[in-house]
């Protein structure tokens, strides 16, 4: 990576002619996101992702990455980070 910068909740990185902009909310990039997705998948639509943000699963954070080359969007990355606690997430029987 040649550069990583941060501004107002956005992280931008560049690498070999590609720029990656990471956002915490789909609202920040809704137009670019929906334009690129073009109704390909309802579960990756801006509307669905916005609803997920408003009523998120417990301990879940969302991140959205726009991949650009020559200032043109060439890819999108959607990430969900979930806090995992084995003691509360797994059902297990203790030996008495």
């Amino acid at each position: 990576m040649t550069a990583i910068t941060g501004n107002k909740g956005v992280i931008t990185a560049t690498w070999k002619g590609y720029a990656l902009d990471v956002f915490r909310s789909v609202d920040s990039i809704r137009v670019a996101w929906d334009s690129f997705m073009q109704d390909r998948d309802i579960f990756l639509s801006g509307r669905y992702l916005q609803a997920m943000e408003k009523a998120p699963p417990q301990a879940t954070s969302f991140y959205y990455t726009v991949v650009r080359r020559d200032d043109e969007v060439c890819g999108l990355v959607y990430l969900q980070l979930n806090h995992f606690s084995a003691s509360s997430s797994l059902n297990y029987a203790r030996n008495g």
Side-chain angles (χ1 to χ4, degrees), residues 22-33:
V22 181
F23 300 85
R24 293 286 315 244
S25 174
V26 74
D27 287 340
S28 304
I29 54 165
R30 177 88 184 263
V31 172
W33 190 276

Side-chain angles (χ1 to χ4, degrees), residues 24-31 33-34 42-57 62 64 78 80:
R24 293 286 315 244
S25 174
V26 74
D27 287 340
S28 304
I29 54 165
R30 177 88 184 263
V31 172
W33 190 276
D34 286 338
I42 187 70
F43 297 109
L44 291 175
S45 70
R47 187 178 211 170
Y48 180 83
L49 296 174
Q50 188 177 40
M52 287 287 291
E53 282 182 29
K54 289 183 179 178
F62 304 97
Y64 310 88
Y78 169 61
Q80 284 185 2

